[in-house]
Amino acid sequence: MAAETALIVGAGFAGAVYARTLAEAGWTVRVIDRRTHIAGNAYDEVDGNGVRVHRYGPHLFHTNNDAVVEWIQQFGEFVPYQHRVRALLPDGRLVPLPVNADTVEAVLHRPLPDEAAMQAALAEVALPIANPQNAAEHLNSKIGKELTDLFFRPYTKKMWGLDLEEMDASVVKRIPLRTDREDRYFPGDRHQIMPRDGYTAIFRSIFDHPNIRVETGVSYEKGMEDSYTHCFNSMAIDEYFDRSLGELPYRSIRFHARTVEGELPADMNWTVTNYTDTGPLTRETHWDLLPHHRVEATGRRTVTVEEPCDYRDNNEERYYPVKTSDGRYQEKYKEYAALAAGLERMSFIGRCGTYQYLDMDQVINQSLMGARRFLAERGG
Ligand SMILES: Cc1cc2nc3c(=O)[nH]c(=O)nc-3n(C[C@H](O)[C@H](O)[C@H](O)COP(=O)(O)OP(=O)(O)OC[C@H]3O[C@@H](n4cnc5c(N)ncnc54)[C@H](O)[C@@H]3O)c2cc1C
């Protein structure tokens, strides 16, 4: 019997996990991506300053999922890394983010010697809102108006183009608030690691299988799947259906890289600085703070600044699905998913195929489970 064949649209994590899993099960797999490179939004490259830069923003691998770590570590060496972020206040001070006791002390101008004092200070400023209906109400009920307006209101407006009142509480519920002085960004995650030689090298290794053929610079076209047993598609689901039920919008980001002469300040131990002002920029990344990102000594550094925008203003680069407080786009996605369920040979996968923001570990996990379930249903 001829081998089963799969067409995979998208060479990001979703496509890569499906490709590898099917190839290992004996399937012949063709992967296409319309970009000129593999690795999707996790793509990184060494720039003219000798610095490894993630072209689509800093990608930090953090998870509690042991199976995902075990899977990814087959494809290259990972090294430990603890991520730290500072917020730049209007008066030029830098304070830890997520908000912790040091942050609150600096903003409220009062000492908070222990966690009880911190909790009492927050209880004093928190507004009595019993059943928060949106992101503004959720934050005001936890940390009060001053901290909300400083750390979240301008940032949210720039990031999402929406006021906090228009946003679903779930978007900000994911942001931790610490009552101690812990300043690591992901202290709850057992695994915080970065690929020693970059993500692109990991993808090369994932695709390095005799049953996998990868073609970049190739866009999906209707009917391509006809000569394959099945197609796993990580393109935007509304784009596939020509937006026939309406648009599923995304926020995007324009990245502005600049060269800085000289070495890093010796006391700098955080990679990302968030801006709290009302200007168009949200944050800057100092790449050489990430492990093994200073690949060649040139005396120059690269700093990338981010400017969020609507995806239509950035060549339809889809990054973050939009979540409004009424959930209207998630409802629209369900209508598209119902249409997709009627397609026999096609499954939509990954971030844009399922219209949800997913971290890398979540995409890997979902894709591993999805591919294994698919194979099991077909009898191996
Ligand atoms: C700015 C930013 C920062 C992030 N930071 C982190 C982080 O710190 N930690 C973390 O865990 N996750 C992070 N993520 C999330 C991470 O990027 C995703 O989890 C991951 O990229 C999802 O993989 P995917 O395969 O679903 O999508 P993608 O990586 O987007 O890959 C999809 C691929 O499909 C291709 N494609 C789309 N349409 C077509 C078509 N019609 N024809 C051919 N090819 C097509 C695209 O070109 C793309 O390469 C971040 C995301 C963004 C945007």
Side-chain angles (χ1 to χ4, degrees), residues 9-15 32-35 39-41 56-60 62 218-220 234-235 239 253 255 319-320 350-351 357-361 363:
V9 181
F13 266 116
I32 57 167
D33 199 301
R34 67 178 166 199
R35 287 173 170 161
N41 283 345
Y56 306 98
H59 275 65
L60 314 160
H62 59 98
V218 178
S219 288
Y220 170 78
S234 60
M235 73 187 284
E239 192 187 346
I253 296 177
F255 298 98
Y319 293 164
Y320 302 101
R351 203 175 38 91
Y357 179 80
L358 296 167
D359 270 335
M360 295 178 284
D361 62 319
V363 169

Side-chain angles (χ1 to χ4, degrees), residues 123-273:
E124 216 177 283
V125 293
L127 301 183
I129 300 170
N131 188 13
Q133 294 300 309
N134 55 48
E137 291 186 1
H138 173 78
L139 288 165
N140 281 330
S141 75
K142 293 281 177 221
I143 58 174
K145 196 167 168 356
E146 185 175 0
L147 291 163
T148 297
D149 289 352
L150 182 59
F151 292 110
F152 297 101
R153 190 168 290 285
Y155 196 91
T156 304
K157 185 77 188 176
K158 314 189 246 199
M159 183 65 217
W160 296 100
L162 293 171
D163 288 318
L164 279 173
E165 286 73 10
E166 297 172 87
M167 291 208 64
D168 193 76
S170 67
V171 178
V172 289
K173 271 185 188 161
R174 288 195 299 145
I175 303 168
L177 164 70
R178 306 203 61 87
T179 51
D180 57 15
R181 292 183 199 279
E182 172 64 73
D183 73 339
R184 290 170 304 158
Y185 209 74
F186 307 112
D189 285 338
R190 265 197 317 284
H191 305 285
Q192 295 182 60
I193 49 178
M194 295 289 286
R196 194 192 179 286
D197 299 314
Y199 288 102
T200 309
I202 295 290
F203 277 82
R204 261 187 233 116
S205 169
I206 297 173
F207 289 133
D208 182 15
H209 188 286
N211 292 352
I212 301 178
R213 180 160 58 101
V214 181
E215 291 166 50
T216 53
V218 178
S219 288
Y220 170 78
E221 280 168 29
K222 285 267 161 62
M224 264 184 172
E225 66 277 17
D226 291 351
S227 45
Y228 296 85
T229 313
H230 203 85
C231 174
F232 297 92
N233 196 336
S234 60
M235 73 187 284
I237 191 166
D238 62 327
E239 192 187 346
Y240 175 85
F241 288 108
D242 301 319
R243 298 191 175 108
S244 56
L245 301 174
E247 182 192 30
L248 295 178
Y250 289 78
R251 288 299 280 175
S252 191
I253 296 177
R254 291 194 202 98
F255 298 98
H256 307 287
R258 62 182 157 85
T259 296
V260 180
E261 298 291 335
E263 294 308 315
L264 271 172
D267 60 348
M268 189 167 178
N269 73 342
W270 67 95
T271 307
V272 170
T273 303

Side-chain angles (χ1 to χ4, degrees), residues 64 67 90 122 233 258 286 349:
N64 281 318
L122 288 179
N233 196 336
R258 62 182 157 85
H286 294 254
I349 60 172

